[in-house]
Amino acid sequence: MISDAVRPATRLLQRLLAVATALVITTLPAHAGVGMLGEGVNLSSTSLGATGGSHHWDVQRKVIPSICQRRNASLVQGYEYGYSYFHTVFASVAFAYRKCGQINRAARINPLTWRVRPGYTILAGQSMGLGDVVVGVRTRLNHIDTASWEILLAIPTGYDNNSAARLGRGALGLGVGLLFSSLPYSVNSNPNPWGWSLGSRFTYYFSGKGNTLQSFIAAQYALTDTNFEQTGDFGEIRLAHSTGFALSGVQQQIFFNQVPNSMTNSDQTVLQLKYSHSFSTGLSTSAHIGKAFFGRNTPIDYTLGLGVSYRWKD
């Protein structure tokens, strides 16, 4: 089953690579810090990711076949700038391709005529276009680069919110997050090649779209005798968990089928392995693979990703 799900995602990844520069699923460079840049430092990144699967977990966490095979991809362009020592501003925009989606509309009673409108299902084969635009600011919580907090705004780009394979929620979102990490590895201050990071972000979506909580914990290892901020090879293992909160007992799930009586909160836990190489010129490249292994009302997807970022100072 792994080969059947991964092979189409790999082909889709190769086709997109022919059009754009590849890079990782995140817009942060490969190190154990908390995403803060020095004053006047720029960071430009591009990430390419693909997911695929043909099953999902239902409301009772049982594995059942999806109505169609998911073949999704996204290309994310990000930019960050160290406005000052304590503040880093960031922005990103995504171009996404989605295949496979279903929205179940429950039966309703007309309050004037008291007639019952039967329930129905909206199906969609694919959708392509811009996803959300995200802008925000990240602020240090201490002087040793081990803690920060962030606030962001997710701006919808006008896609059709009624499409079953829509590219996002179609609503303005406001998010706040916390990030923590070990001391950045360096020969002088911290010769331990191991590093760790963890964080959490809560996003509130206006217009009744349901809110999300995303958290992660990761361990990094410097494979070469260097540091996490400069050059070398690095490995990472990451555990990510996301929860979607239903509003009034109803939440539209994206990109997979869900029966009306199971429209409730959703959650998903993903294991990811990542390898990165950073050059002394400020260029960094990475690749990762991942698998969703636990969830409810959520897809069972395999993920592939490539990334590149470049850092320079004004």
Side-chain angles (χ1 to χ4, degrees), residues 45-284:
S45 61
T46 306
S47 64
L48 181 63
T51 62
S54 57
H55 291 75
H56 69 275
W57 287 287
D58 66 6
V59 68
Q60 297 177 334
R61 302 191 187 279
K62 294 180 180 179
V63 177
I64 60 175
S66 299
I67 195 169
C68 54
Q69 293 183 332
R70 292 176 303 281
R71 301 295 181 256
N72 305 328
S74 61
L75 178 69
V76 181
Q77 179 62 48
Y79 174 75
E80 302 184 20
Y81 178 70
Y83 179 77
S84 68
Y85 176 80
F86 283 101
H87 302 287
T88 294
V89 295
F90 59 91
S92 66
V93 60
F95 183 84
Y97 169 83
R98 299 287 184 259
K99 180 181 180 182
C100 176
Q102 175 176 329
I103 297 177
N104 297 291
R105 303 295 193 191
R108 295 181 181 180
I109 299 177
N110 190 310
L112 298 178
T113 63
W114 292 97
R115 292 182 178 179
V116 177
R117 189 199 69 181
Y120 62 97
T121 298
I122 301 175
L123 299 177
Q126 63 183 21
S127 182
M128 181 183 299
L130 288 179
D132 290 343
V133 175
V134 176
V135 294
V137 60
R138 197 172 294 122
T139 301
R140 296 181 193 268
L141 286 176
N142 56 29
H143 291 272
I144 56 176
D145 198 23
T146 61
S148 66
W149 73 281
E150 63 184 14
I151 186 170
L152 60 92
L153 193 66
I155 305 169
T157 56
Y159 41 72
D160 183 6
N161 187 52
N162 289 319
S163 171
R166 65 189 187 274
L167 303 178
R169 293 177 180 271
L172 192 68
L174 181 64
V176 61
L178 287 170
L179 297 167
F180 301 93
S181 76
S182 59
L183 281 170
Y185 172 72
S186 68
V187 176
N188 296 327
S189 64
N190 182 23
N192 186 354
W194 284 98
W196 59 266
S197 60
L198 60 90
S200 187
R201 174 189 290 175
F202 177 79
T203 305
Y204 174 82
Y205 287 93
F206 299 89
S207 302
K209 301 300 179 182
N211 307 320
T212 62
L213 177 65
Q214 298 171 308
S215 303
F216 78 93
I217 183 170
Q220 298 96 4
Y221 184 78
L223 300 170
T224 51
D225 188 15
T226 178
N227 61 66
F228 284 104
E229 299 289 347
Q230 301 297 327
T231 61
D233 297 284
F234 314 95
E236 178 184 280
I237 180 170
R238 174 178 295 237
L239 196 65
H241 180 79
S242 61
T243 300
F245 299 97
L247 293 180
S248 303
V250 175
Q251 175 185 339
Q252 289 183 346
Q253 298 295 330
I254 306 174
F255 315 139
F256 70 99
N257 59 313
Q258 182 180 226
V259 295
N261 60 7
S262 69
M263 285 186 178
T264 180
N265 295 348
S266 63
D267 61 84
Q268 183 188 70
T269 304
V270 176
L271 180 66
Q272 177 181 296
L273 300 176
K274 179 180 174 182
Y275 171 80
S276 305
H277 178 78
S278 296
F279 300 87
S280 59
T281 58
L283 181 69
S284 178

